[in-house]
Amino acid sequence: MRAVRGGWWRTGLGVVFTALMLFPVYWMVNVSFTRDQDMRKSPPYWFPVRGTLEGYRAVLEQQGPYLATSLVVGLGTVALTLVVAAPAAYSLARLRPRGGGVLSFVLLIAQMIPGIIMAMGFYAIYLSTGVLNTVPGLIVADSTLAVPFAVLILAAFMSGIPGELLQAARVDGAGALRTFWSVVLPVSRNSVITVSLFAFLWAWSDFVFASTLDQGGAHQPITLGIYHYIGNNNQQWNAIMATAVVASIPATVLLIVAQRYVAAGVTAGAVKD
Amino acid sequence: MSAGRATRTPVRPARASVPTRGRELRAARIRSGQWAAWAFLAPVMVYLLAFYVYPLYRNVDLSLRDYTVRSFVRGDAPFTGPANYGKVFADATFGPALWHTVVFTVVSLVFQFTIGLALAVFFSRNFRLSATLRALFLVPWLLPLIVSSSTWSWMLNSESGVVNAVLTAVGIGPVNWLTSPDWSLWSVTIANIWIGIPFNLVVLYSGLQAIPSHVHEAAELDGASGWQRFRLVTFPLLRPVSGITLLLGLVYTLKVFDIIWIMTRGGPSDASTTLATWSYRLGFGNLLPSFGPGAAVGNLLIVIALVFGLVYIRAQRRLGAA
């Protein structure tokens, strides 16, 4: 009985709050369908009644390469993050390295360093090593957004794996590497997926590294695509907002898909206790 | 009997040696265990040294030398010690940038926290659709910052923005949100508050869930009104979580660069410049970059962020211990 209380007026109020909060998102979608000649109309059309797909046509024609680059950068960041973070998390959670506590502390601190400062250091290094304006360079920089988070989240999950499971693997003669690969990783699937989704989203959304390390690159991500659109004093706001809508797709997918995985991870931990 | 004796004799030395052999074995296992543990940590150690420590070291190095574009490429800039820091402190932009950082951070935190807390209390009573609506509140937090920033830019556009259309309709009149020095800092702060509300809502909501329901019921039985219950029961019990939310929010807000740069570029005439955007502009925003002072500003920002970061970690440890 206590689960649902307060009746419909709370639901009504909740819908109003949510609508107010999401109004900018709605407005982005609405503007993306607005015709050029209606763009400066006052008062504006509140609904896309005389909508156009002109903006989305512009996205298809002009933003394809940017979207492809973002996809590659995102996937590359996920791969690099997992390769570095998963073994480290296993070690911190299960193998009790001396100095592991200090390392966890360092990772916690690393998350707090402003991106703009990392960008300047990377710029100096990339310029002298010739990695500036390359996709691999951007992947490495973007992965710094995700690696500390990934190690800490995966370690938290892996320390919850039942000890008997790892014991059984050892009895069967599996070494640390074998245990990690065929027991720990498969069991940690949900947390690996969660970490991957966040790493992808952060790389996809990154603007600081893209605008400093890939400003003159042949392959630029979608955040720079939008930025150039605005910077060119482009008045085609339907195209800008259509690009923004398309760039928001991964976030939407994450919200729908990862909600389940985050919840799965939380309940898995709760069941174990 | 004699067989027993016979067997006992060889057993004795064997038994005596068991503990030492066991200890050796265990020590060996721990040693090989440590070896394996560090083998698994090797990638992340190399990674941290190459992609965290080294860039930060280069950044400090940048701030201590007098770089020009040419010496930046050739890497032979003269060492000038703290000269760049002196230059930064003496710059006319330093005072305003520091002040804007404080205003932006404090105002953002106050509103994000207050609105987030009110929403968390509102959602803490389960009602129909509450889980779905709460999930929808996460959207602004997950959107790429360039998406939300450009959306706000267009909404706040002086002539064609929807905000001014509404203000005109209710008779207040248009405001030059992004182009007037009186308003640009407030505009970027409003956008940042909007982006930060979901984070505060989620953390405070989980904090509220951790308060046992019988505490509320007891207060209700004692005849406390809704506001009294919040002020005297909920809020004090939520204080540790509130502290952590605010500190983490503080560290994140100090870092904010994208929103301000995309919406106003720190302008007009530095009216919305913070330490983060100033650092970027010095290093990358002009045709002639001044990397040294830019890195110096960045390092000042790191020091400020780390001070509050350490306070946060201490607070969290204390909460974990309690």
Side-chain angles (χ1 to χ4, degrees), chain B residues 148-165:
Chain B
S148 23
S149 312
S150 45
T151 303
W152 275 99
S153 286
W154 183 242
M155 284 174 48
L156 294 175
N157 186 287
S158 292
E159 292 87 41
S160 327
V162 64
V163 174
N164 274 351

Side-chain angles (χ1 to χ4, degrees), chain B residues 178-198:
Chain B
L178 300 172
T179 48
S180 140
D182 298 330
W183 284 101
S184 62
L185 186 60
W186 299 111
S187 304
V188 294
T189 310
I190 290 170
N192 187 55
I193 291 169
W194 181 74
I195 291 163
I197 287 173

Side-chain angles (χ1 to χ4, degrees), chain A residues 3 5 8 10-11 21 24 40 91 96 98 111-112 114 116-118 125 127 143-144 211 223 227 237, chain B residues 34 37-38 47 51-52 54 59 72 122 125-126 128 146 151 154 160 194 255 261 265 280 298 312:
Chain A
R5 213 165 92 170
W8 287 103
R10 271 184 189 275
T11 307
M21 185 71 182
R40 301 208 171 260
S91 177
R96 297 200 192 87
R98 246 175 246 127
Q111 282 186 295
M112 296 171 178
I116 172 69
I117 288 141
M118 295 295 288
I125 298 167
L127 192 68
S143 71
T144 61
S211 75
T223 47
Y227 188 62
W237 274 90
Chain B
Q34 280 297 315
W38 279 97
Y47 180 92
F51 303 133
Y52 263 99
Y54 187 49
N59 206 50
F72 195 79
F122 175 75
R125 297 267 187 121
N126 283 323
R128 287 172 199 85
I146 186 138
T151 303
W154 183 242
S160 327
W194 181 74
K255 297 208 285 191
W261 188 256
R265 291 185 181 235
Y280 181 90
Y312 157 73

Side-chain angles (χ1 to χ4, degrees), chain B residues 31-32 46 69 74 80 126-127 141 193 211 243 252 275 286 289:
Chain B
R31 231 176 297 128
S32 88
V46 173
V69 180
R74 294 192 345 202
T80 53
N126 283 323
F127 52 86
W141 192 48
I193 291 169
I211 298 177
Y252 287 146
L275 290 177
N286 301 322

